[in-house]
């Protein structure tokens, strides 16, 4: 279940950070802000699609060349490989907050 939950966590974190960044951008421009649910559906489609389609294509290619591979192992490989993007997304907030620091004010 690890690859599924890593992918689901990545979807949640990506949608949350994307929503937070648009909220901050609207507040800085003093515009009205509303929530966009399309961020969640778009990120779910991209991430679940990547974790599903790429291993399936790779499995077919490996079976064509008679290479030993298992579909479950490929799903796990691609699912667990997404873990590195969770800290990367969270660390992107550091750059957002550092650009608003008082030291950068002119």
């Amino acid at each position: 279940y690890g690859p599924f939950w890593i992918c689901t966590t990545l979807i949640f974190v990506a949608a949350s950070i994307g929503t937070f960044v648009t909220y901050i951008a609207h507040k800085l421009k003093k515009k009205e802000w509303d929530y966009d649910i399309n961020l969640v559906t778009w990120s779910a489609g991209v991430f679940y699609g990547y974790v599903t389609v790429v291993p399936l294509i790779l499995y077919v290619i490996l079976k064509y060349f008679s290479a030993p591979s298992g579909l479950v192992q490929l799903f796990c490989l691609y699912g667990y490989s997404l873990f590195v993007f969770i800290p990367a997304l969270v660390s992107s907030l550091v750059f957002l907050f550092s650009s608003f620091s008082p030291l950068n004010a002119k």
Side-chain angles (χ1 to χ4, degrees), residues 45-100:
V46 167
F47 292 122
Y48 283 139
Y50 172 76
V51 168
T52 305
V53 172
V54 174
L56 283 174
I57 292 171
L58 188 59
Y59 180 74
V60 169
I61 291 170
L62 290 173
K63 280 296 178 188
Y64 177 77
F65 289 112
S66 300
S69 66
L71 187 58
V72 173
Q73 287 83 7
L74 291 172
F75 281 133
C76 289
L77 176 70
Y78 278 87
Y80 283 115
S81 72
L82 292 177
F83 174 76
V84 73
F85 292 107
I86 296 171
L89 279 171
V90 173
S91 67
S92 70
L93 286 177
V94 172
F95 297 114
L96 175 71
F97 289 126
S98 66
S99 65
F100 298 122

Side-chain angles (χ1 to χ4, degrees), residues 19-61:
T19 301
F20 180 69
V21 168
T22 58
Y23 174 76
I24 295 295
H26 279 80
K27 288 300 175 183
L28 290 175
K29 294 179 182 178
K30 296 183 180 12
K31 291 184 178 180
E32 186 176 332
W33 177 80
D34 58 338
Y35 180 70
D36 185 15
I37 192 69
N38 290 329
L39 291 175
V40 177
T41 56
W42 185 82
S43 64
V46 167
F47 292 122
Y48 283 139
Y50 172 76
V51 168
T52 305
V53 172
V54 174
L56 283 174
I57 292 171
L58 188 59
Y59 180 74
V60 169
I61 291 170

Side-chain angles (χ1 to χ4, degrees), residues 1-12 48 79-80 83 86:
Y1 299 109
F4 171 77
W5 286 114
I6 288 173
C7 192
T8 304
T9 303
L10 185 59
I11 291 166
F12 173 74
Y48 283 139
Y80 283 115
F83 174 76
I86 296 171

